[in-house]
Coordinates of all heavy atoms in Angstrom, one line a residue:
M2 N -53.3 149.1 15.1 CA -53.2 150.6 15.3 C -54.6 151.1 15.3 O -55.4 150.9 14.3 CB -52.3 151.2 14.2 CG -52.2 152.6 14.3 SD -51.2 153.4 13.0 CE -50.1 152.1 12.5
K3 N -55.0 151.8 16.3 CA -56.3 152.3 16.4 C -56.4 153.8 16.0 O -57.4 154.3 15.5 CB -56.9 152.2 17.8 CG -57.0 150.8 18.3 CD -57.5 150.7 19.7 CE -57.7 149.2 20.1 NZ -57.9 149.0 21.5
R4 N -55.3 154.5 16.1 CA -55.3 155.9 15.8 C -54.0 156.3 15.0 O -52.9 155.7 15.3 CB -55.3 156.8 17.1 CG -56.6 156.6 17.8 CD -57.1 157.8 18.5 NE -58.4 157.6 19.1 CZ -59.5 158.2 18.7 NH1 -59.4 159.0 17.6 NH2 -60.6 158.0 19.3
C5 N -54.1 157.2 14.1 CA -52.9 157.7 13.4 C -52.0 158.4 14.4 O -52.4 159.2 15.2 CB -53.4 158.7 12.3 SG -52.1 159.6 11.6
P6 N -50.7 158.0 14.4 CA -49.8 158.6 15.3 C -49.5 160.1 15.0 O -48.9 160.8 15.9 CB -48.5 157.8 15.1 CG -48.6 157.1 13.8 CD -50.1 157.0 13.5
V7 N -49.8 160.6 13.8 CA -49.6 162.0 13.5 C -50.7 162.9 13.9 O -50.5 163.9 14.6 CB -49.4 162.1 11.9 CG1 -49.2 163.6 11.5 CG2 -48.2 161.2 11.5
C8 N -52.0 162.5 13.5 CA -53.1 163.4 13.8 C -54.1 162.8 14.8 O -55.1 163.5 15.1 CB -53.8 163.8 12.5 SG -54.7 162.4 11.7
R9 N -53.9 161.6 15.2 CA -54.8 160.9 16.1 C -56.2 160.5 15.5 O -57.1 160.1 16.3 CB -55.0 161.7 17.4 CG -53.7 162.1 18.1 CD -52.8 161.0 18.5 NE -53.4 160.1 19.4 CZ -53.1 158.8 19.6 NH1 -52.2 158.3 18.9 NH2 -53.7 158.1 20.5
A10 N -56.4 160.6 14.2 CA -57.6 160.2 13.6 C -57.7 158.7 13.7 O -56.7 158.0 13.8 CB -57.7 160.6 12.1
R11 N -58.9 158.2 13.8 CA -59.2 156.7 13.8 C -58.6 156.1 12.6 O -58.9 156.6 11.5 CB -60.6 156.4 14.0 CG -61.2 156.7 15.4 CD -62.6 156.2 15.5 NE -63.2 156.7 16.7 CZ -63.2 156.1 17.8 NH1 -62.5 154.9 17.9 NH2 -63.8 156.6 18.9
V12 N -57.9 155.0 12.7 CA -57.4 154.2 11.5 C -58.3 153.0 11.4 O -58.4 152.2 12.4 CB -56.0 153.9 11.7 CG1 -55.5 153.0 10.6 CG2 -55.1 155.1 11.8
K13 N -58.8 152.8 10.2 CA -59.6 151.6 10.0 C -58.7 150.6 9.2 O -57.7 150.2 9.7 CB -60.9 151.9 9.3 CG -61.8 152.8 10.3 CD -63.2 152.9 9.8 CE -63.9 153.7 10.9 NZ -65.2 154.1 10.4
D14 N -59.1 150.2 8.1 CA -58.4 149.2 7.3 C -57.5 149.9 6.2 O -56.8 149.2 5.5 CB -59.3 148.3 6.6 CG -60.1 147.4 7.6 OD1 -59.6 147.1 8.6 OD2 -61.3 147.1 7.3
N15 N -57.4 151.2 6.2 CA -56.6 151.9 5.2 C -55.1 152.0 5.7 O -54.9 152.2 6.9 CB -57.1 153.3 5.0 CG -58.5 153.2 4.4 OD1 -58.9 152.2 3.9 ND2 -59.3 154.3 4.5
S16 N -54.2 152.0 4.8 CA -52.8 152.2 5.2 C -52.4 153.7 5.0 O -51.3 154.1 5.4 CB -51.8 151.4 4.3 OG -52.0 151.7 3.0
I17 N -53.3 154.5 4.5 CA -53.2 155.9 4.4 C -54.2 156.6 5.3 O -55.4 156.3 5.2 CB -53.4 156.4 2.9 CG1 -52.5 155.7 1.9 CG2 -53.2 157.9 2.8 CD1 -51.0 156.0 2.1
C18 N -53.7 157.5 6.1 CA -54.7 158.2 7.0 C -55.6 159.0 6.2 O -55.2 159.8 5.4 CB -53.9 159.0 8.0 SG -55.0 160.0 9.1
R19 N -56.9 158.9 6.5 CA -57.9 159.6 5.7 C -57.9 161.1 6.1 O -58.3 161.9 5.3 CB -59.3 159.1 6.0 CG -59.5 157.7 5.3 CD -60.9 157.2 5.5 NE -61.2 157.0 6.9 CZ -62.4 157.0 7.5 NH1 -63.4 157.1 6.7 NH2 -62.6 156.8 8.7
R20 N -57.4 161.4 7.3 CA -57.5 162.9 7.7 C -56.2 163.6 7.2 O -56.3 164.6 6.6 CB -57.6 163.0 9.2 CG -57.7 164.4 9.6 CD -57.6 164.6 11.1 NE -58.8 164.1 11.8 CZ -58.8 164.0 13.1 NH1 -57.8 164.3 13.9 NH2 -59.9 163.5 13.7
C21 N -55.0 163.1 7.5 CA -53.8 163.8 7.2 C -53.0 163.3 6.1 O -52.0 163.9 5.6 CB -52.9 163.9 8.5 SG -52.1 162.4 8.9
G22 N -53.4 162.1 5.6 CA -52.7 161.5 4.4 C -51.4 160.8 4.7 O -50.7 160.4 3.8
S23 N -51.0 160.6 6.0 CA -49.8 159.9 6.4 C -49.9 158.5 5.9 O -50.9 157.8 6.0 CB -49.6 159.9 7.9 OG -49.4 161.2 8.3
D24 N -48.7 158.0 5.4 CA -48.6 156.6 4.9 C -48.3 155.8 6.2 O -47.2 156.0 6.8 CB -47.5 156.5 3.9 CG -47.4 155.1 3.3 OD1 -48.1 154.2 3.8 OD2 -46.7 154.9 2.3
L25 N -49.1 154.9 6.5 CA -49.0 154.1 7.8 C -48.6 152.7 7.5 O -48.5 151.9 8.5 CB -50.3 154.1 8.6 CG -50.9 155.5 8.8 CD1 -52.3 155.4 9.4 CD2 -50.0 156.3 9.7
I26 N -48.2 152.4 6.3 CA -48.0 151.0 5.9 C -46.8 150.4 6.7 O -46.9 149.2 7.2 CB -47.8 150.8 4.4 CG1 -47.7 149.3 4.0 CG2 -46.5 151.5 3.9 CD1 -49.0 148.6 4.2
D27 N -45.7 151.1 6.9 CA -44.6 150.6 7.7 C -45.0 150.3 9.1 O -44.6 149.3 9.7 CB -43.4 151.5 7.6 CG -42.8 151.6 6.2 OD1 -43.0 150.7 5.4 OD2 -42.1 152.6 5.9
L28 N -45.8 151.1 9.7 CA -46.2 150.9 11.1 C -47.1 149.7 11.2 O -47.1 148.9 12.1 CB -46.9 152.2 11.6 CG -46.0 153.4 11.8 CD1 -46.8 154.6 12.2 CD2 -44.9 153.1 12.8
L29 N -48.0 149.6 10.2 CA -48.9 148.4 10.2 C -48.2 147.1 10.0 O -48.5 146.1 10.6 CB -50.0 148.6 9.1 CG -51.0 149.7 9.3 CD1 -51.8 150.0 8.0 CD2 -51.8 149.4 10.5
V30 N -47.1 147.1 9.1 CA -46.3 145.9 9.0 C -45.6 145.6 10.3 O -45.6 144.4 10.7 CB -45.2 146.2 7.8 CG1 -44.2 145.1 7.8 CG2 -45.9 146.2 6.5
L31 N -45.0 146.6 11.0 CA -44.4 146.3 12.3 C -45.4 145.7 13.3 O -45.1 144.8 14.0 CB -43.8 147.6 12.8 CG -42.5 148.0 12.2 CD1 -42.0 149.4 12.7 CD2 -41.4 147.0 12.3
E32 N -46.6 146.3 13.3 CA -47.6 145.8 14.2 C -48.0 144.4 13.9 O -48.1 143.6 14.8 CB -48.9 146.7 14.0 CG -49.9 146.5 15.0 CD -51.1 147.5 14.9 OE1 -51.9 147.3 14.0 OE2 -51.1 148.5 15.6
N33 N -48.1 144.0 12.6 CA -48.4 142.6 12.2 C -47.2 141.7 12.6 O -47.5 140.6 13.1 CB -48.7 142.5 10.7 CG -50.1 143.1 10.4 OD1 -50.9 143.2 11.2 ND2 -50.2 143.4 9.1
Q34 N -46.0 142.2 12.4 CA -44.9 141.3 12.8 C -44.8 141.1 14.3 O -44.5 140.0 14.8 CB -43.6 142.0 12.3 CG -43.3 141.9 10.8 CD -42.1 142.7 10.4 OE1 -41.6 143.6 11.1 NE2 -41.6 142.3 9.2
A35 N -45.2 142.1 15.1 CA -45.2 142.0 16.5 C -46.3 141.0 16.9 O -46.0 140.1 17.8 CB -45.4 143.3 17.2
E36 N -47.4 141.1 16.3 CA -48.5 140.1 16.6 C -48.1 138.7 16.3 O -48.3 137.7 17.0 CB -49.8 140.5 15.9 CG -50.4 141.7 16.4 CD -51.6 142.2 15.6 OE1 -52.0 141.5 14.7 OE2 -52.1 143.3 15.9
Y37 N -47.4 138.5 15.2 CA -46.9 137.2 14.8 C -45.9 136.7 15.8 O -45.9 135.5 16.1 CB -46.3 137.3 13.4 CG -45.6 136.0 12.9 CD1 -46.3 134.9 12.5 CD2 -44.2 135.9 12.9 CE1 -45.7 133.8 12.1 CE2 -43.6 134.7 12.5 CZ -44.3 133.7 12.1 OH -43.7 132.5 11.7
M38 N -45.0 137.5 16.2 CA -44.0 137.1 17.2 C -44.7 136.7 18.5 O -44.2 135.7 19.2 CB -43.0 138.3 17.5 CG -42.1 138.6 16.4 SD -41.0 137.3 16.0 CE -40.5 137.7 14.4
L39 N -45.7 137.4 18.9 CA -46.4 137.0 20.2 C -47.1 135.6 20.0 O -47.2 134.8 20.9 CB -47.4 138.1 20.6 CG -46.8 139.2 21.4 CD1 -47.9 140.2 21.7 CD2 -46.2 138.7 22.7
V40 N -47.7 135.4 18.8 CA -48.3 134.1 18.5 C -47.3 133.0 18.6 O -47.5 132.0 19.2 CB -49.0 134.1 17.2 CG1 -49.4 132.7 16.7 CG2 -50.2 135.0 17.2
R41 N -46.1 133.3 18.0 CA -45.0 132.3 18.1 C -44.6 132.0 19.5 O -44.3 130.9 20.0 CB -43.8 132.7 17.3 CG -44.0 132.7 15.8 CD -44.4 131.3 15.2 NE -43.5 130.3 15.6 CZ -42.5 129.8 14.8 NH1 -42.3 130.3 13.6 NH2 -41.7 128.9 15.3
A42 N -44.5 133.1 20.3 CA -44.2 133.0 21.7 C -45.1 132.1 22.5 O -44.7 131.2 23.3 CB -44.1 134.4 22.4
V43 N -46.4 132.3 22.2 CA -47.4 131.4 22.9 C -47.3 130.0 22.5 O -47.3 129.0 23.3 CB -48.8 132.0 22.6 CG1 -49.9 131.0 23.1 CG2 -49.0 133.3 23.3
Q44 N -47.0 129.8 21.2 CA -46.8 128.4 20.6 C -45.6 127.7 21.3 O -45.7 126.6 21.6 CB -46.7 128.4 19.1 CG -48.0 128.8 18.4 CD -47.8 129.1 16.9 OE1 -46.6 129.4 16.5 NE2 -48.8 128.9 16.1
C45 N -44.6 128.5 21.4 CA -43.4 127.9 22.1 C -43.6 127.6 23.5 O -43.1 126.5 24.0 CB -42.2 128.9 22.0 SG -41.5 129.0 20.3
L46 N -44.4 128.4 24.2 CA -44.7 128.1 25.6 C -45.5 126.8 25.7 O -45.3 126.0 26.6 CB -45.5 129.3 26.2 CG -45.9 129.1 27.7 CD1 -44.6 128.9 28.6 CD2 -46.7 130.2 28.2
Q47 N -46.5 126.7 24.7 CA -47.3 125.5 24.7 C -46.4 124.2 24.5 O -46.8 123.2 25.0 CB -48.3 125.5 23.6 CG -49.5 126.5 23.8 CD -50.4 126.7 22.6 OE1 -49.9 126.6 21.5 NE2 -51.6 126.9 22.9
K48 N -45.3 124.4 23.8 CA -44.4 123.2 23.6 C -43.4 123.1 24.7 O -42.6 122.2 24.7 CB -43.7 123.4 22.2 CG -44.6 123.3 21.1 CD -43.9 123.6 19.8 CE -44.8 123.5 18.6 NZ -44.2 123.9 17.3
G49 N -43.4 124.0 25.7 CA -42.5 123.9 26.8 C -41.2 124.6 26.6 O -40.3 124.4 27.4
D50 N -41.0 125.3 25.5 CA -39.7 125.9 25.2 C -39.8 127.4 25.7 O -40.1 128.3 25.0 CB -39.4 125.9 23.7 CG -38.0 126.3 23.5 OD1 -37.4 127.0 24.3 OD2 -37.4 126.0 22.4
I51 N -39.5 127.6 27.0 CA -39.7 128.9 27.6 C -38.6 129.9 27.1 O -38.9 131.0 26.9 CB -39.6 128.8 29.1 CG1 -40.8 128.0 29.6 CG2 -39.5 130.1 29.8 CD1 -40.8 127.6 31.1
T52 N -37.4 129.4 26.8 CA -36.3 130.2 26.4 C -36.7 130.8 25.0 O -36.5 132.0 24.8 CB -35.0 129.4 26.2 OG1 -34.7 128.9 27.5 CG2 -33.9 130.3 25.8
L53 N -37.1 130.0 24.1 CA -37.5 130.5 22.8 C -38.7 131.4 22.8 O -38.9 132.4 22.1 CB -37.7 129.3 21.8 CG -37.8 129.7 20.3 CD1 -36.7 130.6 19.8 CD2 -38.0 128.5 19.5
S54 N -39.7 131.0 23.7 CA -40.9 131.8 23.9 C -40.5 133.2 24.3 O -41.0 134.2 23.8 CB -41.8 131.1 24.9 OG -42.9 131.9 25.1
L55 N -39.6 133.3 25.3 CA -39.2 134.6 25.8 C -38.5 135.4 24.7 O -38.6 136.6 24.6 CB -38.2 134.5 27.0 CG -37.8 135.7 27.7 CD1 -39.0 136.6 28.1 CD2 -36.9 135.4 28.9
R56 N -37.7 134.7 23.9 CA -37.0 135.4 22.8 C -38.0 136.0 21.8 O -37.9 137.2 21.4 CB -36.1 134.4 22.0 CG -35.1 135.1 21.1 CD -34.2 134.2 20.5 NE -33.4 133.4 21.5 CZ -32.8 132.3 21.3 NH1 -32.9 131.7 20.1 NH2 -32.2 131.7 22.2
Y57 N -39.1 135.3 21.5 CA -40.1 135.8 20.6 C -40.9 136.9 21.3 O -41.2 138.0 20.6 CB -41.1 134.7 20.2 CG -40.6 133.9 19.0 CD1 -40.4 132.5 19.2 CD2 -40.4 134.4 17.8 CE1 -40.0 131.7 18.1 CE2 -40.0 133.6 16.7 CZ -39.8 132.3 16.9 OH -39.4 131.5 15.8
S58 N -41.2 136.8 22.5 CA -42.0 137.8 23.2 C -41.2 139.1 23.3 O -41.7 140.2 23.1 CB -42.3 137.2 24.6 OG -43.1 138.2 25.3
D59 N -39.9 139.0 23.7 CA -39.1 140.2 23.8 C -38.9 140.9 22.4 O -39.0 142.1 22.3 CB -37.7 139.8 24.3 CG -37.7 139.6 25.8 OD1 -38.7 139.9 26.5 OD2 -36.7 139.1 26.4
H60 N -38.8 140.1 21.4 CA -38.7 140.6 20.0 C -40.0 141.4 19.7 O -40.0 142.5 19.2 CB -38.5 139.5 19.0 CG -38.1 140.0 17.6 ND1 -37.8 139.2 16.6 CD2 -38.1 141.3 17.1 CE1 -37.6 140.0 15.5 NE2 -37.8 141.2 15.8
A61 N -41.1 140.8 20.0 CA -42.4 141.5 19.8 C -42.5 142.8 20.5 O -42.9 143.8 20.0 CB -43.6 140.6 20.2
N62 N -42.0 142.8 21.7 CA -42.0 144.0 22.5 C -41.1 145.1 22.0 O -41.3 146.3 22.2 CB -41.6 143.8 24.0 CG -42.7 143.0 24.7 OD1 -43.9 143.1 24.4 ND2 -42.3 142.1 25.6
T63 N -40.0 144.7 21.3 CA -39.2 145.7 20.7 C -39.9 146.3 19.4 O -39.6 147.5 19.1 CB -37.8 145.2 20.2 OG1 -38.0 144.2 19.3 CG2 -37.0 144.7 21.4
L64 N -40.7 145.5 18.8 CA -41.4 146.0 17.6 C -42.6 146.9 18.0 O -42.9 147.9 17.4 CB -41.9 144.9 16.7 CG -40.8 144.0 16.1 CD1 -41.4 142.8 15.4 CD2 -40.0 144.8 15.1
Q65 N -43.3 146.4 19.0 CA -44.5 147.2 19.5 C -44.8 146.8 20.9 O -45.0 145.6 21.2 CB -45.7 146.8 18.6 CG -47.0 147.6 19.1 CD -48.2 147.1 18.4 OE1 -48.4 145.9 18.1 NE2 -49.1 147.9 18.1
R66 N -44.8 147.8 21.8 CA -45.1 147.5 23.2 C -46.6 147.4 23.4 O -47.3 148.3 23.0 CB -44.5 148.6 24.1 CG -43.0 148.6 24.1 CD -42.5 149.3 25.4 NE -41.1 149.2 25.5 CZ -40.4 148.1 25.8 NH1 -41.1 147.0 26.2 NH2 -39.1 148.1 25.8
T67 N -47.0 146.3 24.0 CA -48.4 146.1 24.3 C -48.4 145.6 25.8 O -47.5 145.1 26.3 CB -49.1 145.1 23.4 OG1 -48.5 143.8 23.6 CG2 -49.1 145.5 22.0
E68 N -49.6 145.9 26.4 CA -49.7 145.4 27.8 C -49.6 143.9 27.8 O -48.9 143.3 28.7 CB -51.1 145.8 28.3 CG -51.2 145.5 29.8 CD -52.5 146.0 30.4 OE1 -53.3 146.7 29.7 OE2 -52.7 145.8 31.6
F69 N -50.2 143.2 26.9 CA -50.1 141.7 26.9 C -48.7 141.3 26.7 O -48.2 140.4 27.4 CB -51.0 141.1 25.8 CG -50.8 139.6 25.7 CD1 -51.5 138.8 26.5 CD2 -50.0 139.1 24.7 CE1 -51.3 137.4 26.5 CE2 -49.9 137.7 24.6 CZ -50.5 136.9 25.5
G70 N -47.9 141.9 25.7 CA -46.6 141.5 25.5 C -45.7 141.7 26.7 O -44.8 140.8 27.0
E71 N -45.9 142.8 27.4 CA -45.1 143.1 28.6 C -45.4 142.1 29.7 O -44.5 141.6 30.3 CB -45.4 144.5 29.1 CG -45.0 145.6 28.1 CD -43.5 146.0 28.2 OE1 -43.0 145.8 29.3 OE2 -43.0 146.5 27.2
L72 N -46.7 141.8 29.9 CA -47.0 140.9 30.9 C -46.6 139.5 30.6 O -46.2 138.7 31.5 CB -48.6 140.9 31.1 CG -49.1 142.2 31.8 CD1 -50.6 142.1 31.7 CD2 -48.6 142.3 33.2
F73 N -46.6 139.1 29.3 CA -46.2 137.8 28.9 C -44.7 137.6 29.1 O -44.3 136.6 29.7 CB -46.6 137.6 27.4 CG -46.5 136.1 27.0 CD1 -47.5 135.2 27.3 CD2 -45.5 135.7 26.2 CE1 -47.5 133.9 27.0 CE2 -45.4 134.3 25.8 CZ -46.4 133.5 26.2
S74 N -43.9 138.6 28.8 CA -42.5 138.5 29.0 C -42.2 138.4 30.5 O -41.3 137.7 31.0 CB -41.7 139.7 28.4 OG -41.6 139.5 27.0
A75 N -42.9 139.2 31.3 CA -42.7 139.2 32.8 C -43.1 137.8 33.3 O -42.4 137.3 34.2 CB -43.6 140.3 33.4
F76 N -44.1 137.3 32.8 CA -44.5 135.9 33.3 C -43.5 134.9 32.9 O -43.1 134.1 33.8 CB -45.9 135.5 32.6 CG -46.2 134.0 32.8 CD1 -46.6 133.5 34.0 CD2 -46.0 133.2 31.7 CE1 -46.9 132.2 34.2 CE2 -46.3 131.8 31.9 CZ -46.7 131.3 33.1
L77 N -42.9 135.0 31.7 CA -41.9 134.0 31.3 C -40.6 134.1 32.1 O -39.9 133.2 32.3 CB -41.6 134.2 29.8 CG -42.7 133.8 28.9 CD1 -42.3 134.2 27.4 CD2 -43.0 132.3 28.9
R78 N -40.4 135.4 32.6 CA -39.2 135.6 33.5 C -39.4 135.2 34.9 O -38.5 135.1 35.7 CB -38.7 137.0 33.4 CG -38.1 137.4 32.1 CD -37.4 138.8 32.2 NE -36.6 139.0 31.0 CZ -37.0 139.4 29.9 NH1 -38.3 139.7 29.7 NH2 -36.2 139.6 28.8
S79 N -40.7 135.0 35.3 CA -41.0 134.7 36.7 C -40.9 133.2 37.0 O -40.9 132.4 36.1 CB -42.4 135.1 37.0 OG -43.4 134.2 36.5
P80 N -40.7 132.8 38.2 CA -40.7 131.4 38.6 C -42.0 130.7 38.3 O -42.0 129.5 38.2 CB -40.5 131.4 40.1 CG -40.0 132.8 40.4 CD -40.5 133.7 39.4
L81 N -43.1 131.4 38.1 CA -44.3 130.8 37.8 C -44.3 130.0 36.4 O -45.1 129.0 36.2 CB -45.5 131.8 37.7 CG -45.8 132.5 39.0 CD1 -46.8 133.6 38.7 CD2 -46.4 131.5 40.0
S82 N -43.4 130.4 35.5 CA -43.4 129.8 34.2 C -42.5 128.5 34.2 O -42.5 127.8 33.3 CB -42.9 130.7 33.2 OG -41.5 131.0 33.4
R83 N -41.8 128.3 35.3 CA -40.9 127.1 35.4 C -41.5 125.9 35.9 O -42.4 125.9 36.7 CB -39.6 127.5 36.2 CG -38.9 128.8 35.8 CD -38.4 128.7 34.4 NE -38.1 130.0 33.9 CZ -37.4 130.3 32.8 NH1 -36.8 129.3 32.1 NH2 -37.2 131.5 32.4
Ligands
ZN2 ZN1 -53.4 161.1 10.4

């Protein structure tokens, strides 16, 4: 997370926004879980398990939409991944 979703202040390593005081820990946990799911998705693709890779990638996208996650899921659904 680069910016506080409440006040748009830059977020660094703090779980509390320095400007507005919002507690961002739950959002940071979701962001970390999404990143973990995408790593698992890539690992599954490396092992040739496209079905499980897509499951992890879609799960990551439900937690946090990123351009990479969207493109990765689209790739896994395309004939290029088969
Ligand atoms: Zn804030």
Side-chain angles (χ1 to χ4, degrees):
M2 177 181 336
K3 294 178 181 170
R4 297 212 176 251
C5 170
V7 177
C8 72
R9 307 300 300 155
R11 286 186 193 273
V12 174
K13 296 192 176 171
D14 295 330
N15 298 339
S16 62
I17 304 292
C18 178
R19 289 184 297 159
R20 182 188 291 168
C21 73
S23 293
D24 185 353
L25 306 173
I26 190 66
D27 291 339
L28 295 174
L29 292 170
V30 167
L31 286 175
E32 189 174 83
N33 285 340
Q34 288 175 338
E36 289 173 6
Y37 173 76
M38 292 293 160
L39 276 177
V40 168
R41 292 300 308 261
V43 171
Q44 290 171 337
C45 288
L46 181 61
Q47 287 174 328
K48 294 177 182 173
D50 191 340
I51 294 170
T52 302
L53 190 55
S54 179
L55 184 57
R56 192 174 305 158
Y57 277 119
S58 182
D59 283 348
H60 189 178
N62 290 329
T63 62
L64 296 174
Q65 180 189 35
R66 291 204 176 281
T67 63
E68 184 175 0
F69 176 78
E71 297 277 335
L72 289 172
F73 195 74
S74 284
F76 167 74
L77 292 171
R78 285 192 170 84
S79 76
L81 294 173
S82 70
R83 309 293 162 165

